[in-house]
Amino acid sequence: MEFSRRLGDRHLLDSDALENIDRMTNVALGQLSGGISPASLAMAYLDWTVHLAASPGKQFQLAAKATRKAMRLGAYALSSAITGNAEPTIKPLPGDHRFDHPGWQRFPYNVIYQGFLLNQQWWHNATTGIRGVSKHGEAAVWFTAKQILDMTAPCNMPLLNPEIVETTINERGANLSRGAQFYGEDMRRSLRDEKPAGVEAFKVGENLAITPGKVVYRNLLMELIQYSPTTDTVQREPVLMQSAWMMKYYILDLSPHNSLVKYLVDQGHTVFMISWLNPGAEHRNLGMEDYRKLGTLAAINAISDILPGRKIHTVGYCLGGILLTIVAAAMARDGDDRLASVTLFTTMTDFTDVGEINVFMDASEVTLLEDMMWQKGYLGHKQVSGGFQMLKSADLIWSKMVREYYLGQREPMFDLMAWNADGTRMPYRQHSEVLRRLYVDNELFQGKYLVDGRAISISNIHVPMFAVAAGADHVAPWHSVYKLHLQSDATELTFVLTSGGHNVGIVNEPGRPRRSFQLSVCREGERFLDAETWKAKTPVYQGSWWPVWQQWLQRHSSGNEAAPPMGAPDKGYVPLCDAPGTYIYQV
């Protein structure tokens, strides 16, 4: 009987063993390809080539375009060589500053960069707009082509870049000597798994994350910090803030001059902050439900005990905003009315269009990422940052290489860069759930996301909401953030589109020049505007959006009271240590 049972189970054992072989093969492929699925790229390339081969009209169009571009470039080169002052045939795309140096306007460099831009435009035409190619396949092929174009751009070649040539002549090669030293230092740090040069000048607890406070609660997953008041009276409703678990919280408490936490405290708000655990391999099975219960909900429960009878203003940043939305929707479904408001920073709740990151979100790529995490038990910070760098490789990789290694100009380290180098990990199970349940299956937008076995809906959230998107955000595109309007049934939804990117748009303190934002308020019963119409009609305000948000919090509070003590020792919330706590130091 035992023998028969084991024979019946044999296929399961074999399946596990064979599956592990497949996993390890995927891990090896992922290490060679930098975490990009070769199968995904191969399928996208096949999709593109087959449909292009079956599109003679498109082929004719591309051939005609190539001929016209060659003739335009030839005419431009001849005119430029003779007169030295020819009108460019093409301009760089907005935001492309690789050819800003005046040397690019001189012959023959002007012909070189014009030829590159025409070639780049032709390849965009060749990889997009082909009938029958899937949206993902088209994005993947153009993404790959753009990576190659960015890598081989003439600005990256020392002899083809007039700025490098001029600098080398003027400095008699000293710039190359400095660049070689920078390159050697960066390579040593990379091989030793050390942080970038200059980070040593920024230390948590010394000149970063120094707003005074106490850790008043701690569990397996997070520490809850209560910040010390700086005013005699405070708003009755406290503010709970949480960042994404893949970043350390002190992006919201950087230096004193750009700390959002300090700004709120100085304006008379009682502020609490969640500081997430930096998980290791032993935490591989922590999932979204753990982060909901032991993270956001545990913090809300603790604040309700420390400050009973007060509703809570809640704030979530990026993935932290997604988690907050899930918590708020579940609370609303269950009749829990402890929230005074919900604020979301650069948070997508609809994952239909996630921008260029969609290249990494097909089934093959997700499987590869899952297998790489399965081996380690977590997703590492370098893998995440490397993927985001590829989305803007021209600026974040190649232009940086030119500036530092060829021009010998080391970019000075500043607080936001130091924070960006201080990344955290994500547990295997939780990251897999984020990828599949949110990015791939879009369960939250479709009303299929389950909490405690029952679906939740964002439309159940009826407290005031404040959403901030960033115009240059390539992580959470503002058009997708704007889609909250399609889901929200809040009493009042304030939407802000700020200048800057995913991080700079949030670290947006008053007094910084060249900052602006657009703002609108949508109330129940008002008509919906599409994103582009909204952008065209909404006025632009100069400066920071922080004061507007702080006044919004104040309007949705119930008045002032004396500043509360730190924690509640009589209820078990004894201050455990000074801010910034202990979890923030985990590496």
Side-chain angles (χ1 to χ4, degrees):
M1 193 68 176
E2 180 67 18
F3 182 75
S4 174
R5 185 191 67 79
R6 291 181 62 187
L7 279 180
D9 289 346
R10 183 63 184 267
H11 71 283
L12 297 177
L13 298 174
D14 287 348
S15 175
D16 287 344
L18 293 174
E19 183 179 4
N20 288 343
I21 293 174
D22 291 347
R23 285 181 182 272
M24 295 307 298
T25 302
N26 249 358
V27 169
L29 287 173
Q31 291 172 344
L32 289 174
S33 63
I36 297 177
S37 170
S40 178
L41 290 181
M43 289 187 291
Y45 180 74
L46 182 62
D47 186 13
W48 172 67
T49 53
V50 170
H51 284 93
L52 180 59
S55 303
K58 180 71 172 181
Q59 295 175 37
F60 178 82
Q61 181 192 52
L62 291 174
K65 284 180 178 290
T67 302
R68 288 198 301 270
K69 290 180 187 297
M71 294 176 63
R72 287 168 57 193
L73 183 63
Y76 173 78
L78 182 62
S79 175
S80 180
I82 295 174
T83 68
N85 188 26
E87 186 69 22
T89 63
I90 185 173
K91 295 182 179 180
L93 294 171
D96 185 355
H97 301 289
R98 291 175 291 180
F99 306 105
D100 286 353
H101 189 269
W104 288 108
Q105 305 308 317
R106 298 195 303 267
F107 186 85
Y109 299 110
N110 56 347
V111 179
I112 293 172
Y113 100 86
Q114 285 285 291
F116 169 77
L117 292 179
L118 289 169
N119 185 47
Q120 178 178 259
Q121 187 183 65
W122 185 88
W123 272 106
H124 183 263
N125 292 330
T127 55
T128 60
I130 299 173
R131 289 161 54 92
V133 178
S134 68
K135 182 179 179 181
H136 178 268
E138 180 178 277
V141 172
W142 167 237
F143 176 82
T144 305
K146 191 171 185 302
Q147 296 302 309
I148 298 172
L149 287 166
D150 288 344
M151 179 176 62
T152 58
C155 53
N156 301 335
M157 313 298 174
L159 295 179
L160 301 182
N161 187 325
E163 186 176 7
I164 297 176
V165 173
E166 288 181 13
T167 303
T168 303
I169 293 173
N170 293 336
E171 297 191 21
R172 298 180 179 180
N175 55 307
L176 299 179
S177 177
R178 290 195 307 273
Q181 294 175 0
F182 295 154
Y183 177 77
E185 181 180 7
D186 290 346
M187 284 299 295
R188 286 193 300 271
R189 286 176 177 268
S190 178
L191 292 173
R192 295 173 181 173
D193 201 24
E194 297 176 351
K195 294 179 180 179
V199 169
E200 298 82 4
F202 296 90
K203 296 182 179 179
V204 171
E206 295 183 14
N207 55 2
L208 297 175
I210 60 173
T211 303
K214 300 285 186 182
V215 173
V216 295
Y217 175 75
R218 178 188 295 133
N219 62 25
L220 166 69
L221 205 51
M222 63 92 175
E223 290 181 329
L224 182 63
I225 300 170
Q226 180 182 355
Y227 290 96
S228 303
T230 58
T231 55
D232 293 333
T233 61
V234 296
Q235 296 293 319
R236 291 193 75 251
E237 286 72 19
V239 179
L240 169 63
M241 310 183 79
Q242 65 178 26
S243 65
W245 47 88
M246 63 180 292
M247 60 173 71
K248 294 193 175 179
Y249 82 82
Y250 66 91
I251 187 173
L252 299 171
D253 185 26
L254 281 169
S255 306
H257 73 279
N258 60 2
S259 167
L260 182 54
V261 170
K262 183 178 186 301
Y263 178 80
L264 289 180
V265 170
D266 289 346
Q267 297 296 319
H269 294 274
T270 300
V271 178
F272 290 82
M273 177 70 72
I274 291 177
S275 176
W276 297 106
L277 169 84
N278 191 3
E282 67 275 18
H283 303 109
R284 62 183 301 125
N285 289 321
L286 289 174
M288 285 292 287
E289 192 64 4
D290 297 302
Y291 275 75
R292 183 183 74 89
K293 290 181 177 178
L294 297 177
T296 311
L297 199 55
I300 291 173
N301 292 336
I303 296 172
S304 295
D305 289 340
I306 294 171
L307 299 173
R310 297 163 180 80
K311 294 191 174 185
I312 303 167
H313 294 296
T314 51
V315 185
Y317 188 176
C318 188
L319 290 176
I322 297 173
L323 180 61
L324 173 60
T325 303
I326 292 170
V327 171
M331 292 176 68
R333 179 199 66 187
D334 298 336
D336 188 337
D337 63 351
R338 287 180 290 172
L339 302 188
S341 70
V342 173
T343 296
L344 305 175
F345 296 158
T346 59
T347 298
M348 289 187 297
T349 52
D350 174 22
F351 298 84
T352 304
D353 182 8
V354 296
E356 291 185 353
I357 201 175
N358 183 57
V359 174
F360 304 109
M361 290 302 152
D362 70 320
S364 178
E365 181 64 37
V366 169
T367 299
L368 182 73
L369 289 174
E370 285 180 333
D371 289 345
M372 295 182 73
M373 292 187 296
W374 165 82
Q375 182 196 33
K376 294 182 177 181
Y378 57 81
L379 180 72
H381 167 67
K382 283 191 174 181
Q383 189 172 351
V384 175
S385 61
F388 287 141
Q389 283 183 335
M390 290 183 68
L391 297 178
K392 299 184 69 177
S393 61
D395 295 330
L396 301 180
I397 298 178
W398 304 114
S399 293
K400 182 176 184 294
M401 176 197 72
V402 169
R403 185 173 57 254
E404 297 196 351
Y405 301 153
Y406 291 142
L407 298 177
Q409 301 170 1
R410 176 71 90 179
E411 184 175 358
M413 183 64 64
F414 56 94
D415 50 11
L416 190 58
M417 286 179 61
W419 164 85
N420 193 53
D422 190 16
T424 60
R425 296 173 290 272
M426 297 177 67
Y428 161 69
R429 178 181 173 185
Q430 185 234 30
H431 189 232
S432 178
E433 290 175 348
V434 169
L435 289 178
R436 291 201 177 273
R437 299 182 65 183
L438 297 176
Y439 278 89
V440 176
D441 296 335
N442 205 10
E443 291 182 4
L444 184 60
F445 183 76
Q446 295 179 12
K448 297 178 181 179
Y449 193 95
L450 302 181
V451 173
D452 290 334
R454 297 166 56 206
I456 59 171
S457 173
I458 295 175
S459 63
N460 286 332
I461 302 174
H462 295 303
V463 298
M465 300 184 73
F466 193 102
V468 181
D473 194 343
H474 63 286
V475 179
W478 81 266
H479 290 83
S480 293
V481 177
Y482 183 82
K483 288 183 180 179
L484 179 63
H485 287 83
L486 298 175
Q487 304 164 284
S488 171
D489 195 24
T491 55
E492 172 189 307
L493 172 58
T494 302
F495 184 80
V496 169
L497 178 61
T498 180
S499 58
H502 189 70
N503 296 323
V504 175
I506 301 303
V507 184
N508 200 302
E509 71 280 6
R512 179 172 290 196
R514 298 184 300 277
R515 293 299 173 87
S516 62
F517 65 94
Q518 295 174 271
L519 179 147
S520 69
V521 181
C522 181
R523 296 179 175 84
E524 286 182 301
E526 295 183 350
R527 288 181 294 178
F528 169 77
L529 288 178
D530 65 275
E532 289 302 328
T533 302
W534 178 91
K535 192 175 191 305
K537 290 187 174 183
T538 305
V540 177
Y541 303 93
Q542 298 302 313
S544 167
W545 55 269
W546 284 13
V548 175
W549 179 54
Q550 187 275 325
Q551 294 163 12
W552 182 88
L553 289 173
Q554 187 170 330
R555 284 199 308 274
H556 292 92
S557 298
S558 59
N560 293 339
E561 65 179 12
M566 304 299 288
D570 57 325
K571 298 179 182 177
Y573 296 96
V574 179
L576 303 175
C577 63
D578 290 333
T582 60
Y583 283 3
I584 198 172
Y585 293 107
Q586 295 173 333
V587 296

